[in-house]
Amino acid sequence: MTETTHTQPMPPKGTAKSRSPEFRLAEDALRGLRQDLFHDAFAYRPLPRMSMDGRFTRRLSPRLREYAVWVPHAAVLMGALWATLISASVNDSGGFGSLVIFLLAVGPILLTLFRPVGAFWCSMAATPVTATFGDSWSDWPWQTGSFASHLVVLTVVALRTRPRTAAWMWALTGTYGFVVESLFGAGRYSSNTGPLLTISAFVLLGVTLFHIRRAAQREVTAQQTVTAHERSKRTLLEERTTIARELHDVVAHHMSVVAIQAEAAPYRVENPPPELEQAFATIRENAVAALTELRRVLGVVRAEDYEAPDAPQPTLADIDALLTNVRDTGLTVEKVVTGAVRELPQGIELSAYRIAQEALSNTLRHAPGATARVEIGYVLGGLGLRIVNGPPTGLVKPSPGAGHGITGMRERVTMLNGEMTTGETDDGGYEVTVFLPVPLTDGPE
């Protein structure tokens, strides 16, 4: 049997001893105290004006908003007036003593408008001075004016700082009260440190809950903004994916036709020259190569379960079938066509059909019971499309929308270098107007 002895390695000299969790906790607490109440305690931090983005402030008239922004400052001044009235009601000192007590009660409250943490220290320093000039033996160690002034200061500073700072102020207030009572409380009838701590605890608890609620609202608002942005991006990408799939099918069809016609063209001419055969062979090779490259590049947008449609992509010639389906759901819709009807590029007709389809779907969702009108205008430079519906008249509540349909329509129009406008009509309905340009050199396909 072999006996092995394990020796504990000695720590290198100069290495600090590991500190206990209690020591680290106390160190962190002192660091927080220094950061909250001592670091830049008298820094200039003016009280900001009230925001006008609230639920009620948004409803105010512009003139009232000019005054409503000063509500926080007015509240602080009202607190100073309240502390002054309380101090004056119980103070029967001489003229100089009354002036000192008045300044020591009002000064720290007014200082919260510019230097909140410094105002707390001024209120703490003013408390023993006020007690020196006071003559009320029943209020100790907080004279009545100091009691009211310090309570207002605690509330305002807590509103302007974070909850941890409010906890430190409350703890220091209690420490001061108990120390003064222990050392100088002999002969006093009663102490008001307990009532001050109790009242201020409830006030600071309410302020803390207000901070937590406001922080939660900001977080929810930020999350909603991010969610809406991501949803919009996802809708845009999905629409682009759909457009890419449809364009892939359209272009692939035409490139296949070009390749087949180029291969069959030499057989339609008796004794074609070799140059012509070579030209058609080159055309076919380029068409096949372009088709292969198109499938390689655009094939990445297809989902794994995506299947190419067996039927041809819809065009404006299929708009009547679309309107029939819409009428079967109960929507009254009419079609008006102006200009000389002609065959347009397939991408133009497909986009126009999809735009009309989406606009009518929006009418069914957001304007139940309304009537709709589809206007198609064939002009020299392109195609005009206008879908307008009246206000909802049914008993069914309109479905709220996030604007995804408008985003998809706008994406199609942008892809074709067109123009699109949307907005409410004078009678409370909605209108979508689109113009899709068609180059004059393009002939029917």
Side-chain angles (χ1 to χ4, degrees):
M1 178 181 295
T2 303
E3 182 178 355
T4 304
T5 302
H6 296 278
T7 59
Q8 184 71 20
M10 298 296 294
K13 294 182 178 181
T15 304
K17 296 182 179 179
S18 59
R19 297 173 177 176
S20 63
E22 293 80 5
F23 182 85
R24 289 197 298 267
L25 182 62
E27 187 180 26
D28 293 339
L30 292 177
R31 187 183 300 113
L33 173 63
R34 183 173 62 252
Q35 180 181 357
D36 292 339
L37 293 182
F38 290 94
H39 182 68
D40 290 337
F42 286 86
Y44 181 69
R45 300 167 185 169
L47 178 64
R49 287 181 280 185
M50 188 172 67
S51 174
M52 291 291 102
D53 296 334
R55 181 184 305 176
F56 301 103
T57 53
R58 284 197 299 262
R59 302 177 182 178
L60 299 177
S61 63
R63 184 174 181 82
L64 289 178
R65 289 186 181 184
E66 296 179 2
Y67 300 100
V69 295
W70 300 105
V71 168
H73 303 75
V76 174
L77 296 179
M78 290 297 295
L81 178 61
W82 174 70
T84 302
L85 294 177
I86 291 180
S87 178
S89 64
V90 298
N91 179 44
D92 54 0
S93 302
F96 179 74
S98 298
L99 178 62
V100 172
I101 293 175
F102 168 77
L103 294 177
L104 294 179
V106 176
I109 299 178
L110 297 180
L111 192 60
T112 59
L113 295 172
F114 308 100
R115 307 178 192 277
V117 179
F120 166 75
W121 288 117
C122 289
S123 179
M124 291 291 295
T127 299
V129 179
T130 304
T132 302
F133 285 90
D135 54 2
S136 176
W137 287 89
S138 61
D139 294 330
W140 179 261
W142 310 88
Q143 294 293 311
T144 305
S146 297
F147 190 101
S149 176
H150 196 66
L151 185 60
V152 174
V153 169
L154 286 177
T155 304
V156 176
V157 178
L159 286 170
R160 297 200 56 192
T161 56
R162 52 184 175 178
R164 190 178 71 177
T165 305
W168 280 121
M169 293 189 301
W170 186 84
L172 290 178
T173 299
T175 302
Y176 168 80
F178 290 128
V179 169
V180 171
E181 288 177 4
S182 301
L183 299 179
F184 308 102
R188 303 287 177 175
Y189 291 106
S190 62
S191 168
N192 57 2
T193 299
L196 176 61
L197 292 179
T198 303
I199 297 175
S200 60
F202 281 106
V203 172
L204 296 182
L205 178 61
V207 172
T208 301
L209 294 178
F210 170 77
H211 278 299
I212 294 175
R213 182 176 181 272
R214 187 169 61 176
Q217 286 179 339
R218 286 198 297 264
E219 184 177 354
V220 170
T221 301
Q223 188 62 37
Q224 288 177 345
T225 303
V226 172
T227 302
H229 180 67
E230 293 298 329
R231 186 185 297 113
S232 178
K233 288 176 59 177
R234 184 181 62 193
T235 302
L236 190 62
L237 292 176
E238 290 176 354
E239 187 63 29
R240 287 183 177 179
T241 301
T242 303
I243 294 172
R245 290 171 178 173
E246 293 175 346
L247 287 179
H248 175 271
D249 297 334
V250 172
V251 176
H253 168 72
H254 288 290
M255 294 301 295
S256 300
V257 172
V258 170
I260 294 174
Q261 290 181 346
E263 184 177 9
Y267 298 101
R268 298 183 179 181
V269 180
E270 187 176 356
N271 299 323
E275 296 81 1
L276 182 61
E277 291 184 352
Q278 183 61 36
F280 280 118
T282 303
I283 293 174
R284 181 183 180 280
E285 291 175 359
N286 289 333
V288 172
L291 184 60
T292 303
E293 187 68 16
L294 178 67
R295 286 173 176 169
R296 184 184 68 82
V297 174
L298 295 183
V300 297
V301 303
R302 293 187 183 274
E304 295 181 357
D305 56 348
Y306 175 76
E307 297 181 359
D310 297 332
Q313 295 291 344
T315 63
L316 288 177
D318 304 310
I319 198 72
D320 291 331
L322 173 64
L323 299 183
T324 300
N325 291 335
V326 172
R327 291 189 185 103
D328 291 339
T329 63
L331 177 64
T332 302
V333 57
E334 61 175 329
K335 182 185 74 170
V336 177
V337 180
T338 58
V341 179
R342 66 184 188 276
E343 187 177 356
L344 299 174
Q346 190 169 356
I348 298 290
E349 296 216 0
L350 174 61
S351 295
Y353 180 91
R354 295 299 189 198
I355 291 172
Q357 184 181 39
E358 182 62 36
L360 293 175
S361 298
N362 288 343
T363 301
L364 291 172
R365 287 193 297 267
H366 309 313
T371 59
R373 178 185 178 94
V374 178
E375 300 177 2
I376 304 173
Y378 292 87
V379 295
L380 187 61
L383 176 70
L385 190 63
R386 179 174 180 264
I387 303 95
V388 59
N389 62 266
T393 59
L395 299 178
V396 181
K397 185 178 179 181
S399 173
H404 296 166
I406 298 295
T407 302
M409 289 188 286
R410 198 176 300 279
E411 183 68 17
R412 289 181 179 272
V413 173
T414 302
M415 179 193 65
L416 298 173
N417 297 323
E419 298 178 0
M420 173 178 168
T421 57
T422 61
E424 295 185 1
T425 59
D426 296 336
D427 60 351
Y430 202 80
E431 176 183 19
V432 177
T433 305
V434 174
F435 176 76
L436 303 177
V438 178
L440 298 178
T441 55
D442 288 353
E445 298 181 3

